[in-house]
Amino acid sequence: MSTAKKEVKRITTHQLQAMKRRGEKIAMLTAYDFSSARILDAAKIDVILVGDSASNVMAGHETTLPITLDQMIYHASSVIRAINRAFVVVDLPFGSYQGNSKNALESAIRIMKESGAHAVKLEGGQEIGESVVRILSTGVPVMGHLGLTPQSIYKFGTYTVRAKEEAEAQRLIEDAKYLESLGCFAIVLEKIPAKLAKRVSEELTIPTIGIGAGPDTDGQVLVTHDLLGITKDFNPRFLRRYLNLFEEIQGAVEQYISDVKDRDFPNEKEQY
Ligand code: KIV
C-alpha cells in the first residue's frame, strides 16, 4: 500500500543539478528538529541542511567543534521523520572525518544508516580528498563546503570574509574544481567575495550554494534561527531577517505569565 509520503515527488541530487542548468535558484535552510523541518518541508524548501551550527543555536556552544556524531544523528533522524519532499544533507561533525578516510567512511555510513539522511557535507578541499572519494565510492552523495569553514575557526582566528587575497582565491577555485572532479554533487561557498563566488559558479557544472557569497551562486542557504530572528545578537551583513521571533515569543511568554499570575488563564472555556 502506498503512503502519502511516497506520493510526493522528492528532491534529488539530479534535480538540484537540473535546476542549475535551467537557471532556477536552489533554496536551502537549516533544521535540527522535527517541528521546524515539518514547516520548512510544507513551505517546499528544496534542501534542508542538518548543520553542525546546531552546536551554536541548539546547544549554545561558541563554535561548531563540540557537537558529536551521535548528536548529529539525533538531530538528523528528527528532521528525516518530518520530511516528505526536501533533500536532507547532514554535516559530518568536527573530528569525524579529518585526517582519516576510514573514520570518514564510518561516520558517513552511520549518518546514512541511523538517520535516513540523503547526503553528507564535509568542510575543506584537497586535504579531505581521500575521505570524499571513499564516501562517494559507497554511493553516498557528498556536498563540499569552501570559504569560511567554521570547523577551522581556530586556524583562521576570525569569522571574517575569506579568499579576499589572490592566492587564497586561486586555491579556492582549484579546490572547487577538485571537489567537482571527485564527484561532489554541490558545494557550499561561505563568506567569500561575490565576484569570486560568481566566477566559481560559472566555472562549475555542479550547483554552488552561497551564504554571504552574493547573488550569483546557484542557490542560497541561511541558518533558519537567524532568518526567523530567534538568534537576535548575530547580525552579519549578509543576513536578511524575515521575522523577529525572539521579541514575539518573549512577548507571548510575558503575556502567559501575567495571565497565570492574574488568574486569567485558564478561563471557564479552557477547563473540563
Ligand atoms: O552548519 C551550518 O549551518 C552550515 C551552513 C552555515 C552552511 O554549514
Side-chain angles (χ1 to χ4, degrees):
M1 197 180 85
S2 74
T3 64
K5 273 198 164 189
K6 283 186 187 139
E7 283 156 21
V8 177
K9 198 155 192 270
R10 286 177 178 276
I11 303 288
T12 63
T13 56
H14 298 283
Q15 284 178 33
L16 296 172
Q17 291 176 351
M19 285 165 80
K20 171 168 180 139
R21 288 196 294 276
R22 63 176 182 266
E24 179 183 342
K25 296 279 186 183
I26 297 164
M28 171 160 130
L29 282 173
T30 59
Y32 321 104
D33 67 281
F34 176 84
S35 303
S36 315
R38 243 179 120 195
I39 298 170
L40 300 190
D41 195 60
K44 295 196 166 52
I45 195 77
D46 298 311
V47 184
I48 291 180
L49 172 65
V50 183
D52 58 359
S53 49
S55 180
N56 310 106
V57 294
M58 299 302 286
H61 293 296
E62 204 177 306
T63 72
T64 57
L65 275 65
I67 200 160
T68 65
L69 186 58
D70 283 339
Q71 288 164 342
M72 289 304 295
I73 290 170
Y74 168 76
H75 287 299
S77 51
S78 306
V79 166
I80 283 289
R81 282 193 285 276
I83 61 108
N84 285 318
R85 175 182 177 275
F87 187 77
V88 178
V89 182
V90 181
D91 268 334
L92 284 192
F94 176 70
S96 72
Y97 64 96
Q98 292 98 336
N100 182 340
S101 63
K102 184 169 177 285
N103 188 20
L105 178 63
E106 285 164 1
S107 303
I109 288 176
R110 277 201 63 201
I111 285 186
M112 301 300 283
K113 255 188 170 355
E114 295 177 38
S115 77
H118 309 140
V120 294
K121 175 163 82 60
L122 283 70
E123 294 183 6
Q126 284 157 46
E127 69 281 10
I128 58 152
E130 218 180 287
S131 295
V132 171
V133 169
R134 211 152 167 182
I135 295 170
L136 285 168
S137 74
T138 64
V140 174
V142 174
M143 178 179 268
H145 184 153
L146 296 172
L148 176 64
T149 46
Q151 291 179 12
S152 307
I153 186 57
Y154 292 117
K155 184 175 88 182
F156 298 146
T158 82
Y159 285 101
T160 53
V161 181
R162 303 300 312 171
K164 278 178 19 190
E165 305 304 328
E166 184 53 34
E168 195 183 341
Q170 202 48 49
R171 169 77 197 240
L172 188 143
I173 294 167
E174 282 164 22
D175 277 342
K177 289 183 177 170
Y178 174 70
L179 292 175
E180 174 174 75
S181 75
L182 296 184
C184 287
F185 73 92
I187 300 177
V188 166
L189 298 176
E190 180 163 354
K191 234 174 166 186
I192 62 170
K195 249 172 106 173
L196 175 62
K198 180 174 193 292
R199 178 166 169 205
V200 173
S201 306
E202 283 169 358
E203 293 191 14
L204 296 188
T205 58
I206 58 170
T208 58
I209 314 283
I211 174 164
D216 295 310
T217 50
D218 303 302
Q220 297 291 330
V221 56
L222 284 176
V223 169
T224 301
H225 288 62
D226 298 335
L227 165 150
L228 296 177
I230 298 175
T231 48
K232 67 171 189 157
D233 298 324
F234 180 64
N235 285 302
R237 189 203 295 194
F238 67 76
L239 175 61
R240 185 179 294 179
R241 286 200 193 284
Y242 289 80
L243 286 173
N244 281 305
L245 274 195
F246 189 104
E247 274 83 19
E248 285 197 44
I249 294 172
Q250 186 181 347
V253 172
E254 285 167 355
Q255 186 62 53
Y256 166 76
I257 293 169
S258 85
D259 288 352
V260 169
K261 307 261 178 206
D262 296 345
R263 299 166 196 274
D264 177 77
F265 176 80
N267 65 24
E268 276 179 21
K269 288 187 192 150
E270 292 162 335
Q271 57 183 281
Y272 300 99

